[in-house]
Amino acid sequence: MRQNIAAGNWKMNLDLDEAQQLARDISNHLGMDSESTVILGVPYPFLKSISDLTYPITNLHIAAQNCHYEAGGAFTGEVSIPMLKSINIEHVIIGHSERREIFMEDNAVIRKKVTALINSSSNVIFCCGEPISVRLEEKQNEYVEKQLNESLFHLTSEDMKRVIIAYEPIWAIGTGHTASAEQAQQMHAYIRKLISDKYGSETAENTSILYGGSVKPSNAKELFANPDVDGGLVGGASLKADSFKDIIDSF
Ligand code: PEP
């Protein structure tokens, strides 16, 4: 069953005390009987502490923001999937545009990470989305289709049960310029059609597709109301408990 998901991406922000306080506030807000699923993308050094702190809340998952595709070895500064699993981290954000643009991760590297995660029975939050130059040429559908074809669509339909897709137009990330509800719905419907063409309608209907790019309390309801928008991947507005709680309550 496809879920409504509010995912936060804390990026390289907060210290340990701030991270713990934010996680406590979100956990208290969710309680034991909330219907929304929440994922927090936490910096590596805080993963274990935040995971331990939020453990009793079953609909709150803690995600790493990246991982290496090799299980171990001489990769100074990197973190492997077995390391993450050893501290009960089973969700990883992959292919965020900041990883693609700043750290030069291409579709081939992202595919290796996706494969390694699925082979380890972990869950993938797969980010895709076009830069402004592509949007201005109205080539966004082709651009996102290539990202999916080259990094995700080698998976089986069984594997796809472990995948959440986040459509994040790069021009909307951290800029305050949110895609309109119509632009988001159009792309999400297109992605769902691609999944349906490849895997069939059941897989397409069961895959959660999140929108990311300047989601805030003031626009979350309108975005989430679209039939193919199953929630959001939220950067800036996930760093303050009040604004993220408002977004969680926007379904
Ligand atoms: C993100 O980092 O994935 C993101 C969407 O950031 P923001 O919400 O700040 O635009």
Side-chain angles (χ1 to χ4, degrees):
M1 257 294 281
R2 136 182 171 205
Q3 297 169 296
N4 286 331
I5 300 171
N9 177 12
W10 292 355
K11 308 194 187 188
M12 196 173 73
N13 291 299
L14 309 174
D15 64 20
L16 180 61
D17 285 347
E18 292 165 338
Q20 287 176 331
Q21 190 53 52
L22 182 53
R24 257 186 231 109
D25 287 347
I26 302 300
S27 306
N28 291 342
H29 183 68
L30 284 176
M32 303 303 256
D33 56 358
S34 166
E35 283 174 16
S36 319
T37 295
V38 172
I39 301 174
L40 301 178
V42 171
Y44 285 140
F46 310 149
L47 279 169
K48 171 137 175 51
S49 155
I50 301 296
S51 165
D52 289 350
L53 192 147
T54 56
Y55 179 71
I57 315 288
T58 50
N59 54 330
L60 175 55
H61 306 292
I62 305 305
Q65 299 172 14
N66 183 30
C67 66
H68 199 277
Y69 51 80
E70 292 289 352
F75 298 98
T76 302
E78 291 291 323
V79 170
S80 74
I81 299 163
M83 289 174 183
L84 294 173
K85 293 206 82 156
S86 74
I87 53 167
N88 300 317
I89 300 300
E90 307 216 318
H91 289 72
V92 182
I93 300 171
I94 288 297
H96 192 279
S97 62
E98 287 151 17
R99 299 293 321 166
R100 293 175 186 265
E101 294 207 314
I102 305 170
F103 300 100
M104 306 299 163
E105 291 188 10
D106 60 14
N107 287 346
V109 167
I110 292 163
R111 178 190 176 107
K112 285 187 185 178
K113 294 186 179 194
V114 166
T115 305
L117 282 163
I118 294 297
N119 287 345
S120 308
S121 303
S122 295
N123 302 289
V124 177
I125 301 155
F126 178 86
C127 301
C128 55
E130 78 287 353
I132 188 66
S133 54
V134 170
R135 171 64 65 163
L136 290 173
E137 285 180 12
E138 298 184 6
K139 295 266 168 52
Q140 63 273 11
N141 285 5
E142 293 88 329
Y143 190 92
V144 169
E145 184 171 355
K146 187 165 154 51
Q147 290 180 317
L148 295 170
N149 277 335
E150 293 187 1
S151 305
L152 193 67
F153 280 178
H154 60 292
L155 299 180
T156 66
S157 55
E158 190 59 28
D159 298 337
M160 286 294 285
K161 292 182 181 159
R162 295 191 163 273
V163 173
I164 296 162
I165 294 178
Y167 167 60
E168 300 206 300
I170 297 172
W171 45 272
I173 297 178
T175 60
H177 301 301
T178 317
S180 67
E182 195 188 356
Q183 286 171 320
Q185 169 56 25
Q186 274 171 1
M187 179 58 84
H188 284 227
Y190 184 66
I191 293 171
R192 205 175 300 284
K193 180 189 172 308
L194 293 173
I195 301 171
S196 180
D197 291 347
K198 171 83 187 166
Y199 297 104
S201 57
E202 197 182 329
T203 301
E205 279 310 308
N206 286 331
T207 303
S208 294
I209 308 177
L210 314 184
Y211 167 78
S214 299
V215 176
K216 327 178 241 269
S218 58
N219 59 26
K221 258 202 176 71
E222 196 192 350
L223 286 161
F224 298 173
N226 290 284
D228 288 296
V229 178
D230 305 311
L233 178 55
V234 186
S238 73
L239 292 170
K240 292 264 179 291
D242 284 349
S243 55
F244 195 54
K245 285 191 274 187
D246 281 351
I247 291 169
I248 293 169
D249 292 340
S250 296
F251 291 106

